[in-house]
Amino acid sequence: MIDDTDPFAEFLRPPSNETPAERATRKIREAEEKRISDTIDEQIRQERQVLQKQRALVKVLLLGQSESGKSTTLKNFRLEYAREEWEAEKTSWRAVIQLNLVRSITSILDALQAEIEGEPLSPSLDLDEPDVPVESRGSIDILSTSNEVDSNQFTPSTLSPEEIQNLQLFRLKLAPLRRVEMDLKLRLGAATEEVTNMDDIPETQSDPGTDIHSLESPDSRHMLRMRKTRRRRIQGEETVVRGLRWREFLMYGRTRNITGKTRASFELLESADGGASEIMSGCKEDMKTLWMSGLVRGILKKRKMEMENNAGFFLNDIDRIASLSYLPSDDDVVRSRLRTVGVQEYHIIVDTTNTLNLNARPRREWVLYDVGGSRTMRRAWIPFFQDINAIIFLAPISCFDEVLLEDPSVNRLNDSVALWKAIISSKLLQRTTMVCFLNKCDILKRKLRSGIQFRNFVRDYGNQPNDITPIVKFIKDRFRNIAMKYSSNQQRTTYIYTTSVTDTKATAVTLKSVRDSIFRENLASARLV
């Protein structure tokens, strides 16, 4: 019934001469119009709910070059704030840790073979060497040169016949680990591949300094490719997992909800895992003898292979990991290394206060994004800049004497400085909280204690002491000055921490400070806390 006092009643009143057919048509039209109106109202309501939820989310983006510590930082967040999920999938990391150990052993074996064959060493990056090109990039003047060596310049081995025989014996006894490596890579993902210090080069193309078309025979070309592959392995390649296979593997280990063909394949791979563990257990004593050998250590030192500084270093834990009953610890998982291609996204619930009463704690959902750090992956960063609350930038400061695997002409510390400057300068991020982790301080300390001179790689450092404290202060001041100079939002506070993210206890304290900083800078202004 229409209210006559409504000023719009006249427009809503049906015609006085409306026929039954016209009335039926009008009712159908009005019902359809009401349905459309209700649908639009429901869409608006749902969009409003989504918007409110999005505003309640805290989005944190982890950025930095490859091997900067992004994935390890993400693990620390999950260890601290997603403990139940962490415990559920911790056992599934055993294959990754086993692979890390096996890869260290096979890298050592490759180095031994290179020494036997007299392969040349990679060139040094020390400024004291004559005729070494120097480039000044970013805010720190650092030497930058290539890792490439002429594959034809081989020198006779200086090893005695007895030493060569002992090294060959190691290779023979530990040969089964090659199969273990293949099996573990298969288990972790059929699309695993190796990251080298250059793009994949077809056999029909020539490498810089080596024209494979000019070699004398197919056998010599094959030997050259084998030697180049071994050199890449020695220089620090990694296993890469593409797609969701690894995430599926963790989910299967946690819930057993995978069905059909995928379940069958996982069960087959799990049964094969026992074989890998048995082989590693059988090779345990030989692995320990290899790692503790003075001859082997001397060769590694000569070839500047600092195994302790590599990601996924477990050579001091052979007894424990090469055991049939081995189960990963929290520390093992954090220290393990597995590079994943693509974006890793994790949701965690973070307490917003330090209140001891758990029931009274405000809790917010955080979304953490870990994106690839290699040069080819950086173009994928920009879409994540929109609506991001905070960026945690990982800058490994121990790499002052290293170059990028993707481009041996670029010093890694220079690359981090350039990345930091670009991120700070981005207009899309002027309202984003910036957190910088000057990471891998533990490795930096070990390098300095070994006698490596920081001033030989960083000209601006001058004659200051070769000690961890002044060097960290020097680098920290550089990053802070860049933040102050290139940020158009002068009210934005930048937080800089010195970290060793493999130290879970110290990192937990840092993450609490980061949590408080992000809430204070972003959420308080949005009236969320």
Side-chain angles (χ1 to χ4, degrees), residues 138-285:
S139 299
I140 301 181
D141 187 3
I142 304 178
L143 174 70
S144 181
T145 188
S146 173
N147 267 353
E148 281 302 305
V149 295
D150 188 343
S151 299
N152 292 321
Q153 295 178 355
F154 288 83
T155 58
S157 173
T158 59
L159 298 171
S160 68
E162 182 180 358
E163 288 174 332
I164 292 177
Q165 184 178 4
N166 290 337
L167 296 181
Q168 294 286 21
L169 187 59
F170 275 129
R171 297 184 69 247
L172 181 63
K173 288 182 176 180
L174 296 173
L177 295 180
R178 301 283 187 181
R179 178 56 187 269
V180 172
E181 180 182 353
M182 293 178 59
D183 290 344
L184 290 174
K185 287 167 62 177
L186 174 64
R187 183 183 183 189
L188 294 173
T192 55
E193 61 185 38
E194 312 303 340
V195 173
T196 68
N197 60 337
M198 60 183 71
D199 295 333
D200 290 337
I201 301 175
E203 294 181 9
T204 57
Q205 296 181 358
S206 60
D207 292 341
T210 306
D211 185 357
I212 56 179
H213 294 298
S214 66
L215 299 182
E216 297 177 357
S217 67
D219 289 340
S220 62
R221 290 197 297 268
H222 172 72
M223 289 301 297
L224 173 60
R225 289 195 297 271
M226 293 292 290
R227 287 163 178 165
K228 287 175 68 64
T229 300
R230 180 163 62 244
R231 187 171 70 251
R232 292 171 181 175
R233 289 174 56 88
I234 295 172
Q235 289 173 347
E237 62 171 340
E238 290 184 75
T239 300
V240 179
V241 177
R242 292 186 180 271
L244 297 177
R245 179 66 176 273
W246 170 239
R247 296 292 297 275
E248 289 177 358
F249 173 69
L250 289 180
M251 288 296 296
Y252 177 68
R254 182 165 71 245
T255 65
R256 306 283 171 164
N257 285 332
I258 295 179
T259 58
K261 184 177 180 180
T262 305
R263 171 182 287 276
S265 64
F266 275 121
E267 289 176 346
L268 177 62
L269 291 171
E270 277 203 327
S271 64
D273 177 57
S277 298
E278 289 180 1
I279 293 175
M280 291 183 66
S281 178
C283 293
K284 179 168 61 178
E285 294 303 321

Side-chain angles (χ1 to χ4, degrees), residues 37-54:
S37 178
D38 291 343
T39 300
I40 294 174
D41 290 341
E42 178 62 20
Q43 289 177 346
I44 293 174
R45 186 187 67 81
Q46 292 179 0
E47 290 174 0
R48 185 179 291 115
Q49 288 181 344
V50 171
L51 182 60
Q52 290 175 346
K53 183 178 180 180
Q54 290 293 326

Side-chain angles (χ1 to χ4, degrees), residues 298-309:
I299 292 173
L300 295 179
K301 183 177 181 180
K302 174 184 176 182
R303 294 189 164 269
K304 299 180 181 179
M305 288 183 61
E306 299 176 351
M307 304 300 296
E308 294 88 344
N309 295 339

Side-chain angles (χ1 to χ4, degrees), residues 322-529:
S323 169
L324 293 175
S325 59
Y326 167 67
L327 291 176
S329 65
D330 290 340
D331 184 62
D332 291 343
V333 176
V334 170
R335 290 164 49 209
S336 64
R337 175 64 175 167
L338 182 72
R339 180 181 298 191
T340 51
V341 175
V343 178
Q344 302 298 308
E345 176 181 333
Y346 282 95
H347 293 246
I348 61 175
I349 303 299
V350 178
D351 300 326
T352 62
T353 71
N354 293 320
T355 306
L356 294 178
N357 183 357
L358 295 177
N359 296 326
R361 285 184 175 179
R363 298 163 68 83
R364 295 294 176 187
E365 183 177 2
W366 285 33
V367 185
L368 302 171
Y369 301 99
D370 175 15
V371 295
S374 63
R375 283 192 158 186
T376 56
M377 290 293 297
R378 293 174 188 175
R379 64 175 68 104
W381 292 3
I382 297 179
F384 290 90
F385 287 178
Q386 186 175 6
D387 298 327
I388 205 74
N389 295 98
I391 285 178
I392 299 179
F393 181 80
L394 279 296
I397 61 176
S398 64
C399 61
F400 64 90
D401 59 341
E402 303 173 17
V403 295
L404 293 178
L405 286 175
E406 312 96 284
D407 186 353
S409 69
V410 178
N411 180 280
R412 287 192 63 194
L413 187 53
N414 266 351
D415 183 62
S416 284
V417 170
L419 279 176
W420 176 245
K421 179 180 175 181
I423 292 169
I424 287 292
S425 304
S426 173
K427 295 181 179 179
L428 297 174
L429 301 172
Q430 292 306 307
R431 296 185 179 274
T432 303
T433 300
M434 291 292 177
V435 180
C436 179
F437 283 5
L438 302 180
N439 194 34
K440 301 193 177 182
C441 291
D442 53 337
I443 299 178
L444 173 62
K445 184 181 296 185
R446 285 201 296 268
K447 284 189 174 183
L448 298 177
R449 287 178 176 174
S450 71
I452 299 177
Q453 296 294 312
F454 186 77
R455 64 174 176 269
N456 288 348
F457 303 91
V458 183
R459 293 184 183 277
D460 290 351
Y461 189 67
N463 292 322
Q464 299 182 60
N466 196 57
D467 187 67
I468 183 73
T469 301
I471 289 175
V472 168
K473 182 181 183 301
F474 173 83
I475 299 176
K476 192 172 185 177
D477 288 344
R478 292 286 187 170
F479 276 79
R480 181 182 290 109
N481 291 338
I482 289 174
M484 295 174 60
K485 181 177 180 180
Y486 294 98
S487 178
S488 61
N489 180 7
Q490 296 301 320
Q491 295 181 345
R492 179 175 64 184
T493 303
T494 300
Y495 302 89
I496 301 179
Y497 301 89
T498 54
T499 60
S500 300
V501 293
T502 53
D503 184 342
T504 55
K505 292 183 179 179
T507 303
V509 176
T510 301
L511 294 186
K512 287 184 173 64
S513 297
V514 170
R515 174 203 64 184
D516 295 342
S517 301
I518 292 174
F519 273 112
R520 181 167 57 250
E521 294 292 330
N522 296 87
L523 303 185
S525 61
R527 296 181 181 179
L528 291 176
V529 294

